[in-house]
Amino acid sequence: MPFFFYDPTFIILIPGFLLALYAQWRVQSTFNYYSGIRASNGYTGAQMAAELLRRQGITDVTIEQVGGRLADHYDPRTKKLRLSPDVYASDSLAAVGVAAHETGHALQHRDGYAPLALRSAIVPAATLGTNAAWLLFLLGAVTGMARLMDVGIILFLGYVVFSLITLPVEFNASHRAVAVLQGQACGRSSTRRRSPMSRPRRWPS
């Protein structure tokens, strides 16, 4: 029985695989770097999200903590803004930035931003496709069934294309969040010790 044979379609898979690895590395390294810098306003990610929602008059979005690293997302179906532990309770610049970005998606939802609705509708199928892609590819490699490998590669490339198409949605969410932050002069970083007069207000637990 063939075992991990070479197939010309590997050439199609490798660029997408390397691109996915690079993107993941960039996100992780950038988040880790800014996790060491405190936001001068002293807000945690959850507090920052709540503040931005309040400023925009959004009262029907719930903020909750979700397990996983960088599993942060906004669910328009339930109007829940879910933040990972490293974001929800942290007052780092990384946490504030991620929370603000996810809040940007809530602003998109409020304004009826059509690309967000399209993205939300496709996400379940895209996630299922990328999970099945690796399973089919490995199964095909082990059994020597080239057709299975081809299907896995097509599903994976479909997810890559989906990610590229939805990039404008992510950029727009960040743009909306930055506009609110700049308008209110929030989110600046500082490494200096704050004086008692500059302490942030207390938030209810």
Side-chain angles (χ1 to χ4, degrees):
M1 179 182 295
F3 187 79
F4 287 105
F5 65 96
Y6 170 78
D7 186 276
T9 51
F10 286 178
I11 298 176
I12 302 177
L13 179 65
I14 290 174
F17 179 71
L18 293 178
L19 178 63
L21 287 180
Y22 175 74
Q24 184 178 19
W25 173 79
R26 283 289 296 176
V27 169
Q28 293 282 354
S29 61
T30 301
F31 183 84
N32 290 338
Y33 176 79
Y34 286 103
S35 290
I37 305 175
R38 294 188 65 192
S40 64
N41 54 28
Y43 289 170
T44 64
Q47 291 169 350
M48 188 75 260
E51 178 66 6
L52 293 180
L53 291 173
R54 183 191 67 79
R55 292 174 185 173
Q56 293 298 301
I58 299 177
T59 60
D60 57 349
V61 172
T62 303
I63 303 170
E64 63 182 26
Q65 184 170 316
V66 65
R69 179 172 172 79
L70 293 180
D72 314 271
H73 64 280
Y74 170 71
D75 187 347
R77 297 169 301 176
T78 59
K79 290 190 175 182
K80 290 186 177 181
L81 201 162
R82 299 186 173 102
L83 303 176
S84 60
D86 290 337
V87 172
Y88 188 93
S90 172
D91 64 353
S92 71
L93 197 59
V96 168
V98 170
H101 170 81
E102 297 304 331
T103 304
H105 287 306
L107 301 182
Q108 291 175 331
H109 189 206
R110 177 201 61 184
D111 297 338
Y113 185 63
L116 175 67
L118 177 62
R119 173 182 178 271
S120 300
I122 299 175
V123 162
T127 302
L128 178 62
T130 190
N131 292 334
W134 292 111
L135 177 61
L136 292 174
F137 180 82
L138 292 176
L139 183 61
V142 171
T143 61
M145 298 177 64
R147 290 294 180 88
L148 282 180
M149 296 176 63
D150 291 342
V151 172
I153 290 173
I154 292 173
L155 289 175
F156 178 76
L157 291 179
Y159 181 77
V160 172
V161 171
F162 163 77
S163 299
L164 293 176
I165 291 176
T166 58
L167 276 178
V169 177
E170 301 301 327
F171 290 144
N172 181 268
S174 293
H175 176 75
R176 290 169 184 260
V178 168
V180 177
L181 288 170
Q182 289 180 338
Q184 300 294 336
C186 289
R188 294 173 296 176
S189 63
S190 174
T191 56
R192 295 179 297 179
R193 185 183 300 273
R194 297 190 302 273
S195 67
M197 296 299 295
S198 64
R199 291 175 182 170
R201 71 189 191 194
R202 292 185 179 274
W203 290 77
S205 57

